[in-house]
Amino acid sequence: MSLIDATQTIPLGGPSLPQERRLVTAIPGPRSQELLDRKAAAVPAGVGHTVPVAAVAAGGGVVVDADGNSLIDLGAGIAVTTVGNAHPKVVAAVQAQIAQFAHTCFMIAPYESYVAVAEKLNELTPGSFTKKTALFNSGAEAVENAIKIARKHTGRQAVVAFDHGYHGRTNLTMALTAKAMPYKSGFGPFAPEVYRAPASYPFRDGLTGAEAAAKTISMIEKQIGADNLAAVIIEPIQGEGGFIVPADGYLPAVVEWCRAHGVVFIADEVQTGFARTGAMFASEHFGIEPDLITTAKGIAGGMPLAGVTGRAEIMDASHTGGLGGTYGGNPVACAAALATIEAYQEENLAERAVEIGRTLVARMQEAATSDPRIGEVRGLGAMIGVEFVDPATGAPDGALAGAIAKQAIAEGVIVLTCGTYGNVIRFLPPLSIDDALLHEGLDVVLGALAAS
Ligand SMILES: Cc1ncc(COP(=O)(O)O)c(C=O)c1O
């Protein structure tokens, strides 16, 4: 049962793949369609997909499907393959580790690579204090554990999450996530003691950072009370919620309030982390030192790994055996993470993110001068969102964003949407994409906008 027949050569992934957009069939082609039919029969409908292809290889700035189509990748598997898919260093590290051992369970027989990843994260995350790190498998699991740790440390139960926030699809993280459809609807009851505060959304609320922070803090003080609050959890740039960059001063004011009241400030950097925004972590742009930082996605070049890093005295709050899991910090994923982090540093990928961001913003802002449906172009580094609106009313235009993404995908460019109102096109290319491919991808997206 293979999609590939004996006459077909499947290219190896990685940067040696031809860096080109190439359509040899309509999307989906017949082999992809065959897989999608099997998927529909074998996999529940709840597990959706955005791009109707059967992926067989990826690298640099492209994803190749089973029909031989080569699509430009402007999404990096939702900000995961930031270092590039099948990065040679990551491939070598994974191959070497799997040949040594695949698993002992870190809680049974510990190994060096877990400790080395912890040391790296302790060193690289913002905060000039002693830190510790625990490793997990997914972003949601990291968030769950950050909340556990904060509750244990403070002896308090309440947690504040934010309008437009996204933290995952497990029970606690559904409670923390703002948007009902598709993430929460029908899946309740949700975990208790989670409260939602207004965040800073300059394009829609028109507030300064100080004004937005005052609103947040007032809600917390009136509706929860600082003495009951264990943690505030926020994405420094809200990802799924619409690539919302908070107004200047907002995050520092919230951090300051947390510190004054013994509340643990958690930065969820699952989407913003690892060179994506032009710094290793987005918190650095805002001059904040979170008590805890959650990471995943870009950490290990596509291998599943996640972390909670933070102040040693908070991280040490749990009794022995309170944190962990069978697979958390798997040695193959840890080997991949060490290789990935080395590549970020050796290849100056944070700087590359800034360059890519300049191109994205310049192209989109140029389009905005003649197309009032572009309400705002925003973001940092290679994490750029374009919010589409009805020019007459400023109302979110989710249908337009959806139509652009659909058309771009049909023309061989993977582009994702996001936003509480579904009206934001988000650009998250792998940082291994070359300039020619990036421009070609944007030509297609802008062509789709013009045609919509
Ligand atoms: C900010 C943020 N937190 C948490 C998560 C959940 O991560 P995962 O899908 O690995 O559970 C995501 C995923 O998109 C995210 O963007």
Side-chain angles (χ1 to χ4, degrees), residues 23 25-29 31-33 35-37 39 47-57 62-67 69-78 402 404-417 426:
L23 291 182
T25 69
I27 303 282
R31 289 191 168 96
S32 289
Q33 188 56 56
L35 179 72
L36 298 179
D37 292 343
K39 173 180 181 270
V47 184
H49 61 262
T50 305
V51 185
V53 296
V56 295
V62 299
V63 173
V64 175
D65 76 11
D67 295 289
N69 298 301
S70 174
L71 292 84
I72 297 176
D73 184 6
L74 300 183
I78 324 185
I404 295 166
K406 194 167 171 213
Q407 183 57 31
I409 289 167
E411 292 182 36
V413 178
I414 298 176
V415 67
L416 310 177
T417 61
R426 56 169 150 174

mmCIF file of all heavy atoms in Angstrom, residues 23 25-29 31-33 35-37 39 47-57 62-67 69-78 402 404-417 426:
data_model
loop_
_atom_site.group_PDB
_atom_site.id
_atom_site.type_symbol
_atom_site.label_atom_id
_atom_site.label_comp_id
_atom_site.label_asym_id
_atom_site.label_seq_id
_atom_site.Cartn_x
_atom_site.Cartn_y
_atom_site.Cartn_z
ATOM 1 N N LEU A 23 4.399 22.964 -10.510
ATOM 2 C CA LEU A 23 3.105 22.277 -10.482
ATOM 3 C C LEU A 23 3.023 21.373 -11.707
ATOM 4 O O LEU A 23 3.051 21.861 -12.837
ATOM 5 C CB LEU A 23 1.949 23.277 -10.473
ATOM 6 C CG LEU A 23 1.789 24.089 -9.182
ATOM 7 C CD1 LEU A 23 0.578 25.009 -9.257
ATOM 8 C CD2 LEU A 23 1.686 23.195 -7.953
ATOM 9 N N THR A 25 0.608 18.781 -11.609
ATOM 10 C CA THR A 25 -0.812 18.386 -11.625
ATOM 11 C C THR A 25 -1.578 19.513 -10.948
ATOM 12 O O THR A 25 -0.975 20.412 -10.362
ATOM 13 C CB THR A 25 -1.074 17.103 -10.793
ATOM 14 O OG1 THR A 25 -0.881 17.405 -9.399
ATOM 15 C CG2 THR A 25 -0.166 15.946 -11.188
ATOM 16 N N ALA A 26 -2.900 19.425 -10.991
ATOM 17 C CA ALA A 26 -3.686 20.304 -10.130
ATOM 18 C C ALA A 26 -3.434 19.858 -8.687
ATOM 19 O O ALA A 26 -2.971 18.738 -8.452
ATOM 20 C CB ALA A 26 -5.169 20.168 -10.476
ATOM 21 N N ILE A 27 -3.712 20.729 -7.719
ATOM 22 C CA ILE A 27 -3.581 20.372 -6.292
ATOM 23 C C ILE A 27 -4.986 20.075 -5.779
ATOM 24 O O ILE A 27 -5.835 20.955 -5.853
ATOM 25 C CB ILE A 27 -2.976 21.534 -5.470
ATOM 26 C CG1 ILE A 27 -1.619 21.954 -6.040
ATOM 27 C CG2 ILE A 27 -2.896 21.164 -3.990
ATOM 28 C CD1 ILE A 27 -0.459 21.077 -5.690
ATOM 29 N N PRO A 28 -5.310 18.912 -5.288
ATOM 30 C CA PRO A 28 -4.430 17.766 -5.161
ATOM 31 C C PRO A 28 -4.320 16.991 -6.470
ATOM 32 O O PRO A 28 -5.277 16.896 -7.223
ATOM 33 C CB PRO A 28 -5.146 16.908 -4.103
ATOM 34 C CG PRO A 28 -6.604 17.244 -4.277
ATOM 35 C CD PRO A 28 -6.648 18.669 -4.704
ATOM 36 N N GLY A 29 -3.142 16.409 -6.698
ATOM 37 C CA GLY A 29 -2.953 15.481 -7.806
ATOM 38 C C GLY A 29 -3.523 14.117 -7.438
ATOM 39 O O GLY A 29 -3.959 13.906 -6.297
ATOM 40 N N ARG A 31 -2.222 11.137 -6.773
ATOM 41 C CA ARG A 31 -1.649 10.392 -5.636
ATOM 42 C C ARG A 31 -2.031 11.058 -4.318
ATOM 43 O O ARG A 31 -2.322 10.384 -3.324
ATOM 44 C CB ARG A 31 -0.129 10.306 -5.763
ATOM 45 C CG ARG A 31 0.328 9.381 -6.878
ATOM 46 C CD ARG A 31 1.823 9.133 -6.793
ATOM 47 N NE ARG A 31 2.207 8.045 -7.656
ATOM 48 C CZ ARG A 31 2.678 8.205 -8.890
ATOM 49 N NH1 ARG A 31 2.798 9.412 -9.404
ATOM 50 N NH2 ARG A 31 3.007 7.160 -9.621
ATOM 51 N N SER A 32 -2.005 12.367 -4.301
ATOM 52 C CA SER A 32 -2.419 13.065 -3.078
ATOM 53 C C SER A 32 -3.881 12.761 -2.785
ATOM 54 O O SER A 32 -4.263 12.499 -1.638
ATOM 55 C CB SER A 32 -2.216 14.575 -3.229
ATOM 56 O OG SER A 32 -0.830 14.884 -3.217
ATOM 57 N N GLN A 33 -4.701 12.780 -3.838
ATOM 58 C CA GLN A 33 -6.131 12.516 -3.644
ATOM 59 C C GLN A 33 -6.351 11.118 -3.060
ATOM 60 O O GLN A 33 -7.198 10.924 -2.187
ATOM 61 C CB GLN A 33 -6.889 12.672 -4.968
ATOM 62 C CG GLN A 33 -8.398 12.615 -4.809
ATOM 63 C CD GLN A 33 -8.914 13.675 -3.810
ATOM 64 O OE1 GLN A 33 -8.660 14.858 -3.975
ATOM 65 N NE2 GLN A 33 -9.604 13.238 -2.756
ATOM 66 N N LEU A 35 -4.352 9.533 -1.096
ATOM 67 C CA LEU A 35 -4.062 9.567 0.348
ATOM 68 C C LEU A 35 -5.191 10.266 1.104
ATOM 69 O O LEU A 35 -5.595 9.826 2.190
ATOM 70 C CB LEU A 35 -2.745 10.305 0.629
ATOM 71 C CG LEU A 35 -2.430 10.367 2.129
ATOM 72 C CD1 LEU A 35 -2.018 9.009 2.672
ATOM 73 C CD2 LEU A 35 -1.373 11.403 2.457
ATOM 74 N N LEU A 36 -5.709 11.338 0.532
ATOM 75 C CA LEU A 36 -6.778 12.071 1.231
ATOM 76 C C LEU A 36 -8.017 11.199 1.376
ATOM 77 O O LEU A 36 -8.720 11.267 2.400
ATOM 78 C CB LEU A 36 -7.092 13.381 0.491
ATOM 79 C CG LEU A 36 -5.909 14.358 0.419
ATOM 80 C CD1 LEU A 36 -6.290 15.613 -0.355
ATOM 81 C CD2 LEU A 36 -5.399 14.722 1.810
ATOM 82 N N ASP A 37 -8.270 10.365 0.377
ATOM 83 C CA ASP A 37 -9.404 9.435 0.480
ATOM 84 C C ASP A 37 -9.158 8.429 1.604
ATOM 85 O O ASP A 37 -10.051 8.135 2.397
ATOM 86 C CB ASP A 37 -9.626 8.691 -0.846
ATOM 87 C CG ASP A 37 -10.107 9.628 -1.956
ATOM 88 O OD1 ASP A 37 -10.567 10.747 -1.623
ATOM 89 O OD2 ASP A 37 -10.004 9.261 -3.149
ATOM 90 N N LYS A 39 -7.229 8.898 4.126
ATOM 91 C CA LYS A 39 -7.293 9.677 5.384
ATOM 92 C C LYS A 39 -8.739 9.814 5.838
ATOM 93 O O LYS A 39 -9.071 9.594 7.011
ATOM 94 C CB LYS A 39 -6.665 11.064 5.183
ATOM 95 C CG LYS A 39 -6.833 11.997 6.387
ATOM 96 C CD LYS A 39 -6.198 13.369 6.151
ATOM 97 C CE LYS A 39 -6.335 14.284 7.365
ATOM 98 N NZ LYS A 39 -7.532 15.111 7.400
ATOM 99 N N VAL A 47 -9.477 15.782 12.833
ATOM 100 C CA VAL A 47 -8.079 16.087 12.482
ATOM 101 C C VAL A 47 -8.081 16.630 11.053
ATOM 102 O O VAL A 47 -8.110 15.864 10.094
ATOM 103 C CB VAL A 47 -7.180 14.827 12.574
ATOM 104 C CG1 VAL A 47 -5.724 15.199 12.313
ATOM 105 C CG2 VAL A 47 -7.323 14.146 13.932
ATOM 106 N N GLY A 48 -8.087 17.937 10.926
ATOM 107 C CA GLY A 48 -8.221 18.545 9.598
ATOM 108 C C GLY A 48 -6.880 18.670 8.890
ATOM 109 O O GLY A 48 -5.848 18.239 9.405
ATOM 110 N N HIS A 49 -6.900 19.245 7.693
ATOM 111 C CA HIS A 49 -5.651 19.616 7.023
ATOM 112 C C HIS A 49 -5.908 20.846 6.173
ATOM 113 O O HIS A 49 -7.019 21.057 5.688
ATOM 114 C CB HIS A 49 -5.087 18.459 6.185
ATOM 115 C CG HIS A 49 -6.002 18.010 5.080
ATOM 116 N ND1 HIS A 49 -6.829 16.935 5.204
ATOM 117 C CD2 HIS A 49 -6.214 18.518 3.839
ATOM 118 C CE1 HIS A 49 -7.526 16.796 4.076
ATOM 119 N NE2 HIS A 49 -7.163 17.739 3.238
ATOM 120 N N THR A 50 -4.870 21.649 6.013
ATOM 121 C CA THR A 50 -5.001 22.915 5.283
ATOM 122 C C THR A 50 -4.619 22.757 3.825
ATOM 123 O O THR A 50 -5.227 23.380 2.949
ATOM 124 C CB THR A 50 -4.079 23.975 5.935
ATOM 125 O OG1 THR A 50 -4.416 24.059 7.317
ATOM 126 C CG2 THR A 50 -4.240 25.334 5.296
ATOM 127 N N VAL A 51 -3.590 21.960 3.574
ATOM 128 C CA VAL A 51 -3.036 21.839 2.217
ATOM 129 C C VAL A 51 -3.318 20.420 1.725
ATOM 130 O O VAL A 51 -2.818 19.458 2.306
ATOM 131 C CB VAL A 51 -1.517 22.121 2.231
ATOM 132 C CG1 VAL A 51 -0.959 22.109 0.817
ATOM 133 C CG2 VAL A 51 -1.225 23.460 2.904
ATOM 134 N N PRO A 52 -4.113 20.266 0.669
ATOM 135 C CA PRO A 52 -4.522 18.924 0.254
ATOM 136 C C PRO A 52 -3.457 18.217 -0.576
ATOM 137 O O PRO A 52 -3.598 18.030 -1.786
ATOM 138 C CB PRO A 52 -5.784 19.194 -0.577
ATOM 139 C CG PRO A 52 -5.575 20.560 -1.134
ATOM 140 C CD PRO A 52 -4.733 21.322 -0.142
ATOM 141 N N VAL A 53 -2.374 17.826 0.091
ATOM 142 C CA VAL A 53 -1.299 17.107 -0.586
ATOM 143 C C VAL A 53 -0.857 15.936 0.265
ATOM 144 O O VAL A 53 -1.124 15.887 1.458
ATOM 145 C CB VAL A 53 -0.055 18.009 -0.841
ATOM 146 C CG1 VAL A 53 -0.376 19.139 -1.787
ATOM 147 C CG2 VAL A 53 0.526 18.520 0.467
ATOM 148 N N ALA A 54 -0.150 14.997 -0.362
ATOM 149 C CA ALA A 54 0.560 13.950 0.364
ATOM 150 C C ALA A 54 2.036 14.329 0.314
ATOM 151 O O ALA A 54 2.680 14.193 -0.733
ATOM 152 C CB ALA A 54 0.333 12.595 -0.301
ATOM 153 N N ALA A 55 2.557 14.840 1.415
ATOM 154 C CA ALA A 55 3.947 15.309 1.440
ATOM 155 C C ALA A 55 4.900 14.116 1.405
ATOM 156 O O ALA A 55 4.677 13.119 2.096
ATOM 157 C CB ALA A 55 4.186 16.129 2.698
ATOM 158 N N VAL A 56 5.945 14.221 0.593
ATOM 159 C CA VAL A 56 6.959 13.145 0.567
ATOM 160 C C VAL A 56 8.378 13.658 0.850
ATOM 161 O O VAL A 56 9.256 12.861 1.169
ATOM 162 C CB VAL A 56 6.957 12.359 -0.776
ATOM 163 C CG1 VAL A 56 5.649 11.616 -0.969
ATOM 164 C CG2 VAL A 56 7.258 13.266 -1.962
ATOM 165 N N ALA A 57 8.598 14.943 0.718
ATOM 166 C CA ALA A 57 9.929 15.492 1.007
ATOM 167 C C ALA A 57 9.784 16.995 1.235
ATOM 168 O O ALA A 57 8.830 17.608 0.737
ATOM 169 C CB ALA A 57 10.894 15.236 -0.159
ATOM 170 N N VAL A 62 10.762 24.570 0.289
ATOM 171 C CA VAL A 62 9.725 23.866 -0.476
ATOM 172 C C VAL A 62 9.240 22.603 0.248
ATOM 173 O O VAL A 62 9.949 22.025 1.075
ATOM 174 C CB VAL A 62 10.208 23.448 -1.902
ATOM 175 C CG1 VAL A 62 10.583 24.674 -2.730
ATOM 176 C CG2 VAL A 62 11.367 22.464 -1.836
ATOM 177 N N VAL A 63 8.001 22.212 -0.129
ATOM 178 C CA VAL A 63 7.431 20.918 0.257
ATOM 179 C C VAL A 63 7.061 20.215 -1.046
ATOM 180 O O VAL A 63 6.383 20.801 -1.902
ATOM 181 C CB VAL A 63 6.169 21.096 1.133
ATOM 182 C CG1 VAL A 63 5.484 19.748 1.388
ATOM 183 C CG2 VAL A 63 6.515 21.778 2.458
ATOM 184 N N VAL A 64 7.519 18.974 -1.198
ATOM 185 C CA VAL A 64 7.253 18.213 -2.430
ATOM 186 C C VAL A 64 6.187 17.173 -2.129
ATOM 187 O O VAL A 64 6.209 16.536 -1.073
ATOM 188 C CB VAL A 64 8.551 17.536 -2.928
ATOM 189 C CG1 VAL A 64 8.283 16.646 -4.144
ATOM 190 C CG2 VAL A 64 9.595 18.599 -3.257
ATOM 191 N N ASP A 65 5.233 17.004 -3.050
ATOM 192 C CA ASP A 65 4.172 16.020 -2.803
ATOM 193 C C ASP A 65 4.362 14.769 -3.662
ATOM 194 O O ASP A 65 5.268 14.691 -4.520
ATOM 195 C CB ASP A 65 2.781 16.653 -2.955
ATOM 196 C CG ASP A 65 2.353 16.889 -4.398
ATOM 197 O OD1 ASP A 65 3.015 16.394 -5.333
ATOM 198 O OD2 ASP A 65 1.311 17.557 -4.600
ATOM 199 N N ALA A 66 3.489 13.790 -3.438
ATOM 200 C CA ALA A 66 3.628 12.477 -4.070
ATOM 201 C C ALA A 66 3.415 12.524 -5.579
ATOM 202 O O ALA A 66 3.803 11.590 -6.299
ATOM 203 C CB ALA A 66 2.635 11.497 -3.443
ATOM 204 N N ASP A 67 2.823 13.619 -6.071
ATOM 205 C CA ASP A 67 2.618 13.759 -7.513
ATOM 206 C C ASP A 67 3.776 14.486 -8.192
ATOM 207 O O ASP A 67 3.736 14.701 -9.402
ATOM 208 C CB ASP A 67 1.308 14.521 -7.764
ATOM 209 C CG ASP A 67 0.113 13.715 -7.285
ATOM 210 O OD1 ASP A 67 -0.214 12.704 -7.922
ATOM 211 O OD2 ASP A 67 -0.470 14.080 -6.245
ATOM 212 N N ASN A 69 4.654 17.629 -7.352
ATOM 213 C CA ASN A 69 4.508 19.082 -7.225
ATOM 214 C C ASN A 69 5.452 19.596 -6.137
ATOM 215 O O ASN A 69 5.654 18.926 -5.122
ATOM 216 C CB ASN A 69 3.065 19.442 -6.834
ATOM 217 C CG ASN A 69 2.074 19.005 -7.890
ATOM 218 O OD1 ASN A 69 2.172 19.429 -9.045
ATOM 219 N ND2 ASN A 69 1.139 18.139 -7.518
ATOM 220 N N SER A 70 5.999 20.779 -6.360
ATOM 221 C CA SER A 70 6.887 21.390 -5.376
ATOM 222 C C SER A 70 6.260 22.715 -4.966
ATOM 223 O O SER A 70 6.101 23.624 -5.794
ATOM 224 C CB SER A 70 8.269 21.605 -6.005
ATOM 225 O OG SER A 70 9.106 22.315 -5.131
ATOM 226 N N LEU A 71 5.854 22.789 -3.705
ATOM 227 C CA LEU A 71 5.136 23.972 -3.220
ATOM 228 C C LEU A 71 6.079 24.850 -2.404
ATOM 229 O O LEU A 71 6.908 24.340 -1.631
ATOM 230 C CB LEU A 71 3.943 23.566 -2.344
ATOM 231 C CG LEU A 71 2.784 22.865 -3.050
ATOM 232 C CD1 LEU A 71 3.029 21.367 -3.188
ATOM 233 C CD2 LEU A 71 1.487 23.094 -2.282
ATOM 234 N N ILE A 72 5.936 26.169 -2.556
ATOM 235 C CA ILE A 72 6.715 27.098 -1.724
ATOM 236 C C ILE A 72 6.106 27.092 -0.331
ATOM 237 O O ILE A 72 4.883 27.205 -0.162
ATOM 238 C CB ILE A 72 6.687 28.525 -2.328
ATOM 239 C CG1 ILE A 72 7.353 28.514 -3.709
ATOM 240 C CG2 ILE A 72 7.383 29.506 -1.389
ATOM 241 C CD1 ILE A 72 7.292 29.851 -4.443
ATOM 242 N N ASP A 73 6.978 26.973 0.682
ATOM 243 C CA ASP A 73 6.512 26.824 2.058
ATOM 244 C C ASP A 73 6.622 28.154 2.809
ATOM 245 O O ASP A 73 7.725 28.575 3.167
ATOM 246 C CB ASP A 73 7.371 25.752 2.747
ATOM 247 C CG ASP A 73 6.906 25.466 4.160
ATOM 248 O OD1 ASP A 73 5.857 25.997 4.569
ATOM 249 O OD2 ASP A 73 7.609 24.699 4.861
ATOM 250 N N LEU A 74 5.482 28.792 3.057
ATOM 251 C CA LEU A 74 5.495 30.032 3.843
ATOM 252 C C LEU A 74 4.901 29.795 5.232
ATOM 253 O O LEU A 74 4.488 30.733 5.907
ATOM 254 C CB LEU A 74 4.736 31.148 3.111
ATOM 255 C CG LEU A 74 5.283 31.538 1.724
ATOM 256 C CD1 LEU A 74 4.485 32.705 1.126
ATOM 257 C CD2 LEU A 74 6.766 31.924 1.800
ATOM 258 N N GLY A 75 4.854 28.527 5.645
ATOM 259 C CA GLY A 75 4.226 28.224 6.940
ATOM 260 C C GLY A 75 5.083 27.404 7.895
ATOM 261 O O GLY A 75 4.828 27.385 9.100
ATOM 262 N N ALA A 76 6.110 26.713 7.362
ATOM 263 C CA ALA A 76 7.028 25.912 8.195
ATOM 264 C C ALA A 76 6.286 24.979 9.158
ATOM 265 O O ALA A 76 6.698 24.808 10.311
ATOM 266 C CB ALA A 76 7.987 26.829 8.960
ATOM 267 N N GLY A 77 5.202 24.360 8.673
ATOM 268 C CA GLY A 77 4.464 23.420 9.532
ATOM 269 C C GLY A 77 3.993 24.078 10.812
ATOM 270 O O GLY A 77 4.058 23.473 11.887
ATOM 271 N N ILE A 78 3.518 25.307 10.701
ATOM 272 C CA ILE A 78 3.127 26.201 11.816
ATOM 273 C C ILE A 78 4.344 26.499 12.706
ATOM 274 O O ILE A 78 4.369 26.168 13.904
ATOM 275 C CB ILE A 78 1.934 25.675 12.665
ATOM 276 C CG1 ILE A 78 0.878 24.945 11.818
ATOM 277 C CG2 ILE A 78 1.290 26.846 13.401
ATOM 278 C CD1 ILE A 78 -0.359 24.522 12.603
ATOM 279 N N GLY A 402 -9.377 33.818 3.820
ATOM 280 C CA GLY A 402 -9.550 32.405 3.457
ATOM 281 C C GLY A 402 -9.434 32.193 1.956
ATOM 282 O O GLY A 402 -8.801 31.225 1.497
ATOM 283 N N ILE A 404 -7.811 34.055 -0.230
ATOM 284 C CA ILE A 404 -6.421 34.269 -0.675
ATOM 285 C C ILE A 404 -5.591 33.016 -0.396
ATOM 286 O O ILE A 404 -4.840 32.533 -1.263
ATOM 287 C CB ILE A 404 -5.799 35.496 0.045
ATOM 288 C CG1 ILE A 404 -6.526 36.776 -0.365
ATOM 289 C CG2 ILE A 404 -4.300 35.591 -0.240
ATOM 290 C CD1 ILE A 404 -6.220 37.969 0.536
ATOM 291 N N ALA A 405 -5.741 32.482 0.820
ATOM 292 C CA ALA A 405 -4.950 31.297 1.186
ATOM 293 C C ALA A 405 -5.297 30.127 0.277
ATOM 294 O O ALA A 405 -4.416 29.412 -0.213
ATOM 295 C CB ALA A 405 -5.188 30.940 2.649
ATOM 296 N N LYS A 406 -6.592 29.952 0.009
ATOM 297 C CA LYS A 406 -7.026 28.819 -0.817
ATOM 298 C C LYS A 406 -6.447 28.936 -2.240
ATOM 299 O O LYS A 406 -5.944 27.963 -2.810
ATOM 300 C CB LYS A 406 -8.566 28.826 -0.857
ATOM 301 C CG LYS A 406 -9.149 27.558 -1.373
ATOM 302 C CD LYS A 406 -10.638 27.470 -1.110
ATOM 303 C CE LYS A 406 -11.140 26.258 -1.881
ATOM 304 N NZ LYS A 406 -12.463 26.377 -2.388
ATOM 305 N N GLN A 407 -6.514 30.153 -2.774
ATOM 306 C CA GLN A 407 -6.009 30.369 -4.134
ATOM 307 C C GLN A 407 -4.491 30.174 -4.193
ATOM 308 O O GLN A 407 -3.963 29.549 -5.126
ATOM 309 C CB GLN A 407 -6.399 31.778 -4.606
ATOM 310 C CG GLN A 407 -5.997 32.106 -6.031
ATOM 311 C CD GLN A 407 -6.573 31.107 -7.047
ATOM 312 O OE1 GLN A 407 -7.665 30.557 -6.836
ATOM 313 N NE2 GLN A 407 -5.827 30.854 -8.119
ATOM 314 N N ALA A 408 -3.787 30.692 -3.178
ATOM 315 C CA ALA A 408 -2.322 30.555 -3.159
ATOM 316 C C ALA A 408 -1.933 29.080 -3.100
ATOM 317 O O ALA A 408 -1.009 28.639 -3.803
ATOM 318 C CB ALA A 408 -1.741 31.318 -1.966
ATOM 319 N N ILE A 409 -2.633 28.322 -2.283
ATOM 320 C CA ILE A 409 -2.320 26.890 -2.174
ATOM 321 C C ILE A 409 -2.559 26.198 -3.514
ATOM 322 O O ILE A 409 -1.743 25.390 -3.972
ATOM 323 C CB ILE A 409 -3.145 26.255 -1.024
ATOM 324 C CG1 ILE A 409 -2.608 26.751 0.324
ATOM 325 C CG2 ILE A 409 -3.105 24.734 -1.105
ATOM 326 C CD1 ILE A 409 -3.497 26.469 1.515
ATOM 327 N N ALA A 410 -3.652 26.554 -4.171
ATOM 328 C CA ALA A 410 -3.946 25.958 -5.482
ATOM 329 C C ALA A 410 -2.834 26.268 -6.482
ATOM 330 O O ALA A 410 -2.578 25.495 -7.410
ATOM 331 C CB ALA A 410 -5.286 26.468 -6.000
ATOM 332 N N GLU A 411 -2.161 27.412 -6.272
ATOM 333 C CA GLU A 411 -1.067 27.804 -7.184
ATOM 334 C C GLU A 411 0.307 27.380 -6.661
ATOM 335 O O GLU A 411 1.333 27.831 -7.167
ATOM 336 C CB GLU A 411 -1.116 29.310 -7.414
ATOM 337 C CG GLU A 411 -2.345 29.730 -8.202
ATOM 338 C CD GLU A 411 -2.366 31.225 -8.478
ATOM 339 O OE1 GLU A 411 -1.285 31.813 -8.700
ATOM 340 O OE2 GLU A 411 -3.472 31.797 -8.446
ATOM 341 N N GLY A 412 0.318 26.561 -5.611
ATOM 342 C CA GLY A 412 1.583 25.994 -5.162
ATOM 343 C C GLY A 412 2.327 26.808 -4.122
ATOM 344 O O GLY A 412 3.557 26.739 -4.049
ATOM 345 N N VAL A 413 1.585 27.564 -3.302
ATOM 346 C CA VAL A 413 2.226 28.303 -2.205
ATOM 347 C C VAL A 413 1.472 28.004 -0.910
ATOM 348 O O VAL A 413 0.273 28.281 -0.808
ATOM 349 C CB VAL A 413 2.222 29.832 -2.476
ATOM 350 C CG1 VAL A 413 2.845 30.581 -1.305
ATOM 351 C CG2 VAL A 413 2.974 30.136 -3.760
ATOM 352 N N ILE A 414 2.187 27.453 0.044
ATOM 353 C CA ILE A 414 1.557 27.126 1.336
ATOM 354 C C ILE A 414 1.525 28.389 2.175
ATOM 355 O O ILE A 414 2.568 28.933 2.559
ATOM 356 C CB ILE A 414 2.333 26.018 2.068
ATOM 357 C CG1 ILE A 414 2.329 24.728 1.224
ATOM 358 C CG2 ILE A 414 1.745 25.779 3.455
ATOM 359 C CD1 ILE A 414 3.153 23.606 1.811
ATOM 360 N N VAL A 415 0.305 28.856 2.454
ATOM 361 C CA VAL A 415 0.150 30.051 3.281
ATOM 362 C C VAL A 415 -0.986 29.776 4.259
ATOM 363 O O VAL A 415 -1.974 29.127 3.916
ATOM 364 C CB VAL A 415 -0.053 31.308 2.403
ATOM 365 C CG1 VAL A 415 -1.349 31.287 1.655
ATOM 366 C CG2 VAL A 415 0.043 32.570 3.217
ATOM 367 N N LEU A 416 -0.815 30.245 5.488
ATOM 368 C CA LEU A 416 -1.760 29.929 6.561
ATOM 369 C C LEU A 416 -2.521 31.180 6.977
ATOM 370 O O LEU A 416 -2.043 32.303 6.803
ATOM 371 C CB LEU A 416 -1.009 29.381 7.779
ATOM 372 C CG LEU A 416 -0.001 28.253 7.506
ATOM 373 C CD1 LEU A 416 0.730 27.872 8.798
ATOM 374 C CD2 LEU A 416 -0.700 27.038 6.915
ATOM 375 N N THR A 417 -3.693 30.954 7.555
ATOM 376 C CA THR A 417 -4.459 32.066 8.128
ATOM 377 C C THR A 417 -4.453 31.918 9.649
ATOM 378 O O THR A 417 -4.056 30.891 10.189
ATOM 379 C CB THR A 417 -5.920 32.066 7.628
ATOM 380 O OG1 THR A 417 -6.530 30.844 8.034
ATOM 381 C CG2 THR A 417 -6.005 32.215 6.129
ATOM 382 N N ARG A 426 -0.950 34.754 7.788
ATOM 383 C CA ARG A 426 0.290 34.784 8.572
ATOM 384 C C ARG A 426 1.430 34.161 7.784
ATOM 385 O O ARG A 426 1.286 33.094 7.189
ATOM 386 C CB ARG A 426 0.115 34.067 9.897
ATOM 387 C CG ARG A 426 -0.346 32.647 9.779
ATOM 388 C CD ARG A 426 -0.221 31.948 11.115
ATOM 389 N NE ARG A 426 -1.209 30.912 11.289
ATOM 390 C CZ ARG A 426 -1.247 30.084 12.321
ATOM 391 N NH1 ARG A 426 -0.356 30.193 13.267
ATOM 392 N NH2 ARG A 426 -2.173 29.164 12.418
#
